[in-house]
Amino acid sequence: MRIGDAYFVRKNDEQAILFYAKAIAEKGGQVDYAKFQTGLTYGFMGDYKQKASSMLDIVNNHSKSTFVVPALYEVGEAYRLMDDNHYDQALKYFNQLIIDYPKHPKVIDAIFQIASLHFIQENYPQAEKQYLRVINEFDNAQKEKEALARLKDVYTAMGEPEKYFALVQQLHGTVDEFERDTLYYYAAFEKFQDSLFQQAADAFDKYFKQFPNPTFVLEANYYKGQSHYKLG
């Protein structure tokens, strides 16, 4: 086992897996640990299917192990990193962790990853809901900061930057004028990029109403004009 750990620390992945396999075959007292380290090593190698398999072995066959919850989280991570065809599997295992182990410290990480997956899939209301859970249900300053930063992206994509401003005011104070200006502009610009030209035109109108002398006046006028041109 120690030889496997030594290779693991040195990032000699193939040798680490070899010696962890020997430890597992010997069926000593730390088989669950060896399987967990094996799964992590496969992940470092980019072999996420093998990582998921190793971690599920712990979840299914070592129910009393202290590695069950971390392994369950890593199963979700493995599916998250495979490709977008496996997002539903990732959500399944993150949700299983939350339901089966609601008091475990990894719950906040699982919720955060669920929110991120919803954002990638452009399910912005669900992403918003989960990021707000991170902020409202946990006392974790670092995760709150990360969730707030992600919510800025969510609200920009939704075209509702005022929700972000209200949240910042509720938590920390005010948002400076330049950041407000920037978010309103990019909320409109993203609609244009997504070919949602009516929504883009409306959002640029909102931008000019909020900021009579905006920072991005030339760009906003151009894209507003292009939006109306596309609409005919």
Side-chain angles (χ1 to χ4, degrees), residues 2-198:
R2 290 182 180 179
I3 297 174
D5 286 341
Y7 281 120
F8 180 87
V9 171
R10 295 173 188 172
K11 299 181 180 179
N12 189 332
D13 298 327
E14 292 181 357
Q15 287 297 310
I17 288 173
L18 176 65
F19 280 95
Y20 286 135
K22 289 182 179 181
I24 293 167
E26 291 170 0
K27 298 182 179 179
Q30 293 183 296
V31 171
D32 54 346
Y33 171 79
K35 290 179 178 180
F36 188 80
Q37 293 297 103
T38 298
L40 290 181
T41 306
Y42 277 125
F44 295 148
M45 295 170 68
D47 190 342
Y48 301 117
K49 288 184 179 179
Q50 284 294 336
K51 175 180 179 177
S53 178
S54 296
M55 296 300 181
L56 279 171
D57 188 352
I58 298 170
V59 174
N60 295 329
N61 299 311
H62 301 271
S63 60
K64 302 298 183 184
S65 171
T66 57
F67 290 98
V68 167
V69 180
L72 189 55
Y73 177 81
E74 293 297 338
V75 174
E77 277 290 271
Y79 280 113
R80 182 180 72 85
L81 294 170
M82 280 184 197
D83 56 56
D84 55 8
N85 293 321
H86 291 87
Y87 287 162
D88 286 345
Q89 286 291 92
L91 288 169
K92 170 187 172 181
Y93 288 107
F94 287 135
N95 277 309
Q96 183 180 334
L97 189 159
I98 294 166
I99 292 168
D100 292 349
Y101 306 94
K103 301 299 183 182
H104 196 278
K106 293 300 288 184
V107 166
I108 188 173
D109 298 311
I111 294 172
F112 196 94
Q113 294 297 4
I114 288 170
S116 299
L117 287 167
H118 284 309
F119 181 79
I120 292 169
Q121 295 175 307
E122 299 184 2
N123 187 346
Y124 301 128
Q126 278 299 318
E128 175 192 20
K129 178 181 177 181
Q130 299 302 325
Y131 284 131
L132 286 174
R133 286 189 65 189
V134 172
I135 292 172
N136 295 326
E137 297 180 19
F138 299 89
D139 184 17
N140 186 316
Q142 181 59 39
K143 283 295 182 184
E144 177 185 304
K145 182 179 179 181
E146 292 174 16
L148 187 59
R150 297 293 183 89
L151 279 165
K152 180 193 289 189
D153 296 333
V154 171
Y155 291 135
T156 300
M158 293 172 70
E160 300 179 9
E162 58 275 1
K163 281 191 173 183
Y164 173 72
F165 305 143
L167 183 59
V168 171
Q169 187 170 12
Q170 174 189 331
L171 295 173
H172 303 296
T174 59
V175 179
D176 68 60
E177 192 71 3
F178 177 74
E179 185 174 8
R180 288 171 57 86
D181 183 309
T182 301
L183 287 184
Y184 267 103
Y185 169 74
Y186 278 104
F189 179 64
E190 284 198 15
K191 298 300 182 185
F192 180 85
Q193 283 189 311
D194 291 339
S195 299
L196 300 171
F197 300 118
Q198 185 60 62

